[in-house]
Each structure stands twice: as C-alpha cells, then as structure tokens.
Amino acid sequence: AAGPPLLCVNSVARVEEVVEQAQAQAQESQGGDDDLFAKLQLACVELGYDADQDSRRRLVAGLEAVVGGGAFPEDIIKHVQGKVGSDSGALNAMLRPQAGSLLANVREAVAVEEARLEEIKRLEREHQLEEAARKQKEHVAMQQKLMQIGACPAGFSWFRQSGGWRCTGGSHWVTNADLARYFSH
C-alpha cells in the first residue's frame, strides 16, 4: 500500500483542514515511544531530509516503502541507532509503528510547499502577462503617435531602438526626446 496521493491544497482553509487531518492521523497511528519518534524526526532533519522539497519527496518515498512493508532507509536506521544503541533489526521493528505518522506529516509539508510554489508560478505568469499587455499598449500608443507624424521620408514604418525609433529602411531616426517635444504642445 503506497498510501494516499499527495494533496493539492488550494486555500488556507483547505490547508488547515489537511493539517488537522494529518495531526489526527498522526495521533491515531503514532503508537510506540514518543522519545523514539522524536529521535526518528531528529534523524530525518539531521540527515537533510527536511532541507528542501526534493529531500522531503525522497523521505516520502522511503517512508512509503516502510509503510508498505519494507525496511527503513539505512541512513535513518544508522542515525537513530547511534542515538539509542539498539541493533538495526530491533530498531526497524520499533520504528515501524512511527512511519505512518511521520509519513503523514511529511506528505502534508510537501503538499503545502507544492501549493505555495504553484501559487508563486501562477503569480509570475500573471505578472508576465500583465507586463506584456502593458508593453503592447505602450507600443500601440507610440505607433499611433508615429502615424501622426507619418512614415519616414522613404515611406517605411518605424520600429523601436534604444533611445528612439528607426525606420524599417534604416536611414531615418527619431529620438524619444524629439517625439516628446513634438507631442507636448
């Protein structure tokens, strides 16, 4: 059993609901020694499993394997073993009841972070769209002004270059300052 899929959290209310569910599940499934659970959590942090989103995903995968009947990742067992001194077989058996609770907590952290990252991406896309629309509006307004003064003497349209506008033929140039003076009166 691989456990439930990662959740996509779309609102603060939903995040709070998911947190409450994860806490309730953790209390139901934790079982065993609180001190041992604390050592398991500490081992995961000290081993870098909470350093970033990819590390948390690796921890989720490892814990899913444990919940599915596999052994704890060796680095976690060795780390906890250094703190409690039990042999790895006994430690695996003692930690197994803790895996579901820790898995629920880490899944929750991954889901919340995924939602936050998706929101940032959405805002970046919106900002880019807004910026593109603003630039297009400025371009259209400037083209309308340029149409008032007409095409270049050779009949070409204008395109923007640093500091002003050049005709498509390349022979004529109007500075932004010249346009500002022309349209200011």
Side-chain angles (χ1 to χ4, degrees), residues 83-167:
K83 296 184 181 304
V84 299
S86 296
D87 69 72
S88 62
L91 199 50
N92 241 308
M94 292 183 339
L95 289 174
R96 185 164 307 286
Q98 313 293 333
S101 176
L102 184 56
L103 177 58
N105 294 334
V106 178
R107 274 188 177 148
E108 166 61 15
V110 168
V112 170
E113 182 64 3
E114 290 293 331
R116 187 189 71 80
L117 293 172
E118 189 56 38
E119 177 68 6
I120 288 171
K121 286 178 187 176
R122 184 188 65 76
L123 291 171
E124 287 173 347
R125 284 189 305 267
E126 285 178 5
H127 175 72
Q128 289 170 349
L129 291 173
E130 290 170 2
E131 182 67 13
R134 184 189 62 76
K135 285 183 177 185
Q136 179 63 19
K137 185 176 178 181
E138 287 175 3
H139 179 76
V140 167
M142 185 54 73
Q143 287 294 325
Q144 289 172 344
K145 288 180 180 180
L146 288 167
M147 287 174 62
Q148 290 177 14
I149 62 171
C152 80
F156 288 103
S157 61
W158 302 95
F159 69 95
R160 182 181 294 277
Q161 278 194 330
S162 179
W165 294 81
R166 179 166 306 282
C167 76

